[in-house]
């Protein structure tokens, strides 16, 4: 944490950025940020709507997405290489510079576990500010430690309840 703090202290963060996202690397070596460079497209919104129609349909959508990535229809995310403004980062880790608190006293906590990154992206958007991604800060994410014991159908239900709130911010 001392190294992270010293690296953060040496960053040049644009003045219109009120959220900073580090390069988050999961246990499979996949870079989780930037999660979304731009606001969700119509197709992405539609896929979420279909995904949350039923649990069994979500399994089909999830497996179709994995298959598309495997055969090369979805390209791997290589945008983690350079500093840039993004729309949304991974909720696993954010840094809130003091400037964030010029606009808000707290984070929007309208959802639990899934969707918090969409609520934060909305907070940033509402005040006309931006989210800054930098690969100079690195986090190794030991994902799913708290959620791995939850049955998949229950995770889907919790996420669906969050979706009912965050879909308005996509």
């Amino acid at each position: 944490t001392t190294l992270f703090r010293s690296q953060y202290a040496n960053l040049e963060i644009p003045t219109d950025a009120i959220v900073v996202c580090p390069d988050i690397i999961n246990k499979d070596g996949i870079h989780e940020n930037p999660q979304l460079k731009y606001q969700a497209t119509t197709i992405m919104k539609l896929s979420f709507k279909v995904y949350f129609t039923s649990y069994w349909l979500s399994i089909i959508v999830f497996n179709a997405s994995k298959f598309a990535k495997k055969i090369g229809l979805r390209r791997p995310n290589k945008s983690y290489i350079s500093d840039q403004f993004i729309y949304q980062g991974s909720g696993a880790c954010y840094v809130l510079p003091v400037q964030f608190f010029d606009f808000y006293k707290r984070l929007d906590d309208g959802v639990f576990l899934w969707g918090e990154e969409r609520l934060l992206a909305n907070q940033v958007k509402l005040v006309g500010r931006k989210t800054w991604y930098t690969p100079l800060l690195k986090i190794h994410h030991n994902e799913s430690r708290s959620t791995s014991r939850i049955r998949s159908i229950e995770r889907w239900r919790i996420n669906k309840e969050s979706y009912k709130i965050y879909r308005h911010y996509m």
Side-chain angles (χ1 to χ4, degrees):
T1 60
T2 304
L3 176 62
F4 186 89
R5 281 192 305 240
S6 68
Q7 288 172 329
Y8 178 76
N10 291 321
L11 286 178
E12 289 189 34
I13 301 168
T15 56
D16 51 349
I18 62 169
V19 173
V20 176
C21 292
D23 181 13
I24 300 174
I25 305 163
N26 71 19
K27 58 189 174 186
D28 295 325
I30 295 169
H31 298 261
E32 296 179 3
N33 272 329
Q35 194 172 77
L36 282 177
K37 288 179 73 170
Y38 309 102
Q39 200 162 356
T41 64
T42 302
I43 290 173
M44 187 181 295
K45 290 175 188 179
L46 180 61
S47 70
F48 271 81
K49 192 174 186 174
V50 169
Y51 182 88
F52 289 115
T53 301
S54 81
Y55 174 68
W56 300 110
L57 195 52
S58 75
I59 292 171
I60 293 168
V61 170
F62 178 78
N63 287 325
S65 177
K66 275 177 56 174
F67 180 72
K69 192 172 187 178
K70 185 177 182 176
I71 65 170
L73 292 177
R74 287 182 55 210
R75 289 184 228 133
N77 182 5
K78 295 282 187 193
S79 61
Y80 63 85
I81 296 169
S82 58
D83 290 345
Q84 60 193 288
F85 286 113
I86 63 172
Y87 181 71
Q88 172 187 306
S90 167
C93 180
Y94 284 107
V95 179
L96 301 178
V98 69
Q99 295 86 341
F100 178 86
F101 299 97
D102 291 341
F103 298 95
Y104 296 103
K105 291 187 183 339
R106 64 186 185 87
L107 292 170
D108 183 340
D109 61 354
V111 298
F112 179 69
L113 283 180
W114 292 288
E116 66 279 356
E117 54 275 290
R118 286 174 183 80
L119 298 184
L120 180 57
N122 184 60
Q123 284 186 285
V124 172
K125 180 181 165 187
L126 285 175
V127 294
R129 297 302 169 142
K130 297 179 180 177
T131 297
W132 183 247
Y133 165 76
T134 180
L136 299 174
L137 295 176
K138 296 207 181 298
I139 297 289
H140 293 276
H141 185 202
N142 191 6
E143 58 192 319
S144 303
R145 291 287 301 236
S146 58
T147 60
S148 62
R149 292 181 220 115
I150 302 172
R151 291 180 35 224
S152 66
I153 192 165
E154 190 57 30
R155 281 196 308 265
W156 179 83
R157 283 188 186 124
I158 294 167
N159 204 336
K160 181 178 180 178
E161 289 305 308
S162 293
Y163 170 72
K164 289 176 183 178
I165 296 166
Y166 71 68
R167 69 180 176 205
H168 304 292
Y169 307 130
M170 292 180 71

